[in-house]
């Protein structure tokens, strides 16, 4: 039997079905007494330390969603549980830290902010933007510099939305440019990935005289796909804020388990309802097929797949423990990307081989590295993990600083191939 990652066993439909009386326990990280006024389907994000005995196993079994990238001894596990789940953890004396007391209230507050005209930000990157607005911004960039920038539809989603790519060409005296791909939002709820990639494109086009950007663009052809999963992204905007997958089939497919290297292996699920459902076969989804075709057609050499959250730089392999032949190089460039990120806002992003955190088969970066032979990274953007940070709902003031970090990482990555 295959081991499946924790996410794959989580059945979202369990949310709200578990009813239990609310036990009150003593918590190591803070006291979360339950009250009878709370609705039983209230969903709370908590962080559990995996060092203590069966703490994480129990948290896993009670989880209605899994938020954290990492798991394993010494690493905290972020999960979402209902009120009944909290009661069970309390009854078992398992300590946890509350990350977000009511994740749906946080999503509702975000939605109210987005819909309130008096709260609109004058800065385009001062607020989150939907698929349509991002597409318009990309068109604007192409109009701004038509000699260097062009819009390309690289495919169509399940629901018929165009998957847009912006191509930004830097000067190349000998006509040879290194093709680099940045993509975001394979996972719908990771909104900061769409904003960061759009913002990197924006900076690169508008600040082309900045020496660091000039250097990045020299002999480079940058492809940017901010919304790789437009259906899922729009669905998360339409009210289901924590939606992860695309909208294919009955329950959606985890696009980051649908690529063709090690497809079907550990850390992916054959169960359609699972959050890590891998799809019927590799590249069954039009969104992953579009990215595959782009990578092959353009001969991509460098790649970043932007996700959130946890502040990490992950390089292959994601699915198995054997070190890839380029491990030393991937790790060294990962270190340089981390240092470049730190220099912008003093945030720590830690580099790992993905599998060191948990196995995930069928990921985009394993395919881009394994089949297309490009140096390929997953960057888990802000926030880090911890109390007061709200997981996927990152305050909009953090879009610009996160973009600085993404741009710094991209510059360091490109420098790694000079
Ligand atoms: O699980 C994923 O697809 C990615 N993490 S996320 O929290 N954004 O969903 C990371 C995939 C690679 N990571 C590991 N192999 N650990
Ligand atoms: Zn993700």
């Amino acid at each position: 039997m295959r081991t499946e990652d924790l996410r794959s066993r989580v059945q979202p439909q369990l949310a709200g079905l578990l009813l239990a009386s609310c036990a009150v326990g003593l918590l190591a990280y803070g006291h979360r007494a339950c009250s009878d006024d709370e609705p039983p389907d209230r969903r709370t994000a908590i962080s559990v330390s995996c060092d203590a005995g069966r703490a994480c196993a129990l948290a896993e079994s009670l989880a209605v969603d899994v938020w954290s990238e990492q798991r394993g001894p010494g690493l905290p596990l972020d999960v979402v549980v209902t009120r009944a789940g909290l009661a069970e953890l309390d009854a078992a004396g398992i300590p946890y830290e509350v990350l977000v007391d009511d994740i749906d209230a946080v999503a509702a507050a975000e939605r109210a902010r987005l819909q309130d005209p008096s709260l609109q930000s004058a800065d385009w990157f001062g607020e989150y933007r939907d698929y349509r607005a991002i597409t318009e911004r990309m068109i604007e960039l192409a109009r701004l510099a038509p000699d260097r920038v062009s819009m390309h539809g690289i495919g169509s989603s399940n629901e018929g939305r165009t998957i847009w790519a912006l191509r930004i060409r830097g000067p190349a005296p000998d006509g040879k440019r290194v093709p680099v791909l940045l993509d975001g939002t394979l996972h719908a709820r990771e909104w900061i990935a769409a904003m960061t990639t759009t913002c990197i494109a924006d900076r690169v086009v508008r600040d082309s005289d900045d020496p660091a950007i000039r250097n990045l663009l020299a002999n480079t052809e940058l492809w940017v796909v901010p919304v790789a999963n437009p259906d899922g992204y729009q669905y998360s905007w339409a009210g289901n804020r924590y939606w992860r997958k695309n909208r294919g089939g009955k329950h959606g497919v985890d696009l980051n388990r649908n690529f063709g290297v090690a497809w079907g292996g550990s850390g992916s699920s054959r169960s359609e309802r699972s959050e890590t459902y891998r799809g019927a076969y590799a590249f069954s989804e039009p969104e992953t097929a579009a990215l595959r075709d782009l990578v092959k057609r353009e001969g991509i050499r460098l790649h970043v797949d932007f996700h959130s959250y946890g502040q990490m730089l992950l390089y292959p392999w994601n699915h198995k423990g054997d070190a890839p032949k380029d491990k030393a190089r991937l790790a060294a460039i990962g270190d340089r990307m981390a240092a470049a990120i730190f220099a912008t806002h003093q945030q720590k992003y830690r580099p790992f081989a993905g599998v060191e955190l948990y196995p995930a088969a069928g990921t985009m970066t394993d395919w881009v590295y394994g089949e297309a032979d490009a140096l390929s990274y997953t960057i888990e953007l802000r926030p880090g993990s911890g109390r007061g940070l709200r997981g996927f709902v990152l305050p909009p003031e953090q879009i610009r600083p996160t973009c600085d970090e993404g741009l710094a990482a991209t510059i360091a990555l490109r420098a790694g191939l000079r």
Side-chain angles (χ1 to χ4, degrees):
M1 208 181 109
R2 290 193 182 98
T3 13
E4 292 185 346
D5 95 45
L6 165 55
R7 278 197 185 99
S8 68
R9 276 178 263 139
V10 169
Q11 302 290 312
Q13 75 276 18
L14 279 180
L17 293 181
L18 297 164
L19 290 172
S21 62
C22 210
V24 178
L26 257 189
L27 310 176
Y29 301 102
H31 191 74
R32 193 191 179 288
C34 301
S35 111
D36 284 341
D37 305 337
E38 290 174 9
D41 57 354
R42 174 192 183 105
R43 300 191 295 168
T44 301
I46 59 169
S47 189
V48 182
S49 158
C50 294
D51 292 331
R54 59 188 208 91
C56 274
L58 183 61
E60 265 184 63
S61 69
L62 296 169
V64 293
D65 197 357
V66 177
W67 279 13
S68 58
E69 155 62 26
Q70 77 275 9
R71 63 215 51 172
L75 300 167
L77 176 72
D78 299 354
V79 289
V80 177
V81 290
T82 60
R83 184 183 163 192
L86 281 181
E88 281 203 43
L89 288 169
D90 289 349
I94 295 203
Y96 54 83
E97 178 184 8
V98 173
L99 299 177
V100 186
D101 201 35
D102 182 342
I103 65 165
D104 297 295
V106 164
E110 180 186 55
R111 198 169 160 74
R113 188 190 76 228
L114 286 163
Q115 289 173 346
D116 184 339
S118 73
L119 295 177
Q120 294 315 299
S121 168
D123 177 10
W124 200 87
F125 292 103
E127 188 51 277
Y128 290 90
R129 307 293 169 181
D130 66 4
Y131 165 74
R132 189 186 161 152
I134 288 174
T135 304
E136 280 165 7
R137 187 77 176 188
M138 293 166 79
I139 293 170
E140 191 184 318
L141 290 176
R143 288 215 182 105
L144 215 60
D147 50 325
R148 312 183 274 124
V149 185
S150 49
M151 271 294 257
H152 302 257
I154 60 161
S156 206
S157 67
N158 273 289
E159 293 176 352
R161 293 186 177 87
T162 302
I163 302 164
W164 290 108
L166 205 63
R167 188 190 72 190
I168 306 165
R169 280 191 164 155
D174 65 357
K176 288 208 183 90
R177 296 179 179 87
V178 172
V180 179
L181 171 62
L182 310 178
D183 72 271
T185 343
L186 275 183
H187 290 147
R189 62 194 178 186
E190 298 165 10
W191 289 8
I192 188 60
M195 296 309 295
T196 297
T197 44
T198 309
C199 175
I200 293 171
D202 205 86
R203 293 274 300 278
V204 163
V205 173
R206 288 177 206 270
D207 301 345
S208 53
D209 289 337
D210 177 311
I213 288 174
R214 209 184 302 147
N215 200 31
L216 162 68
L217 281 183
N219 302 307
T220 301
E221 178 165 279
L222 193 61
W223 289 84
V224 186
V225 183
V227 187
N229 173 13
D231 299 345
Y233 190 62
Q234 276 317 89
Y235 191 63
S236 71
W237 272 78
N240 200 332
R241 178 64 181 85
Y242 299 100
W243 186 258
R244 168 180 166 95
K245 299 187 279 184
N246 76 349
R247 299 290 297 151
K250 271 202 195 130
H251 303 284
V253 172
D254 183 349
L255 296 177
N256 210 25
R257 300 293 183 277
N258 189 241
F259 284 78
V261 162
W263 180 86
S266 288
S268 73
S269 174
R270 63 160 66 87
S271 155
E272 288 188 39
R273 287 180 187 273
S274 160
E275 291 288 13
T276 53
Y277 175 51
R278 59 178 80 126
Y281 51 90
F283 299 114
S284 58
E285 303 309 295
E287 297 88 354
T288 51
L291 291 166
R292 172 198 62 197
D293 295 347
L294 174 72
V295 168
K296 283 280 187 194
R297 187 175 63 238
E298 302 303 329
I300 296 297
R301 311 293 319 134
L302 298 168
H303 168 233
V304 180
D305 179 26
F306 285 94
H307 287 252
S308 71
Y309 60 89
Q311 298 187 187
M312 285 178 271
L313 297 150
L314 308 177
Y315 52 84
W317 296 111
N318 287 305
H319 72 283
K320 63 169 178 182
D322 301 0
K325 66 174 174 19
D326 302 294
K327 162 116 191 185
R329 189 172 189 207
L330 286 161
I333 295 175
D335 285 345
R336 274 187 261 151
M337 290 162 85
I341 289 172
F342 188 78
T344 62
H345 298 285
Q346 291 68 57
Q347 288 294 312
K348 283 195 176 137
Y349 281 57
R350 295 197 298 153
F352 295 98
V355 73
E356 288 170 28
L357 302 174
Y358 63 91
T363 60
M364 180 172 186
T365 51
D366 275 4
W367 182 83
V368 173
Y369 173 68
E371 276 293 311
D373 217 21
L375 297 177
S376 182
Y377 293 82
T378 306
I379 299 190
E380 299 283 352
L381 296 164
R382 295 188 188 198
S385 189
R387 192 204 295 255
L389 305 173
R390 293 180 299 175
F392 301 106
V393 181
L394 184 71
E397 304 75 51
Q398 296 202 30
I399 295 170
R400 281 220 178 253
T402 309
C403 168
D404 295 337
E405 292 162 358
L407 180 59
T410 306
I411 291 169
L413 174 62
R414 178 67 186 94
L417 205 70
R418 294 238 184 247

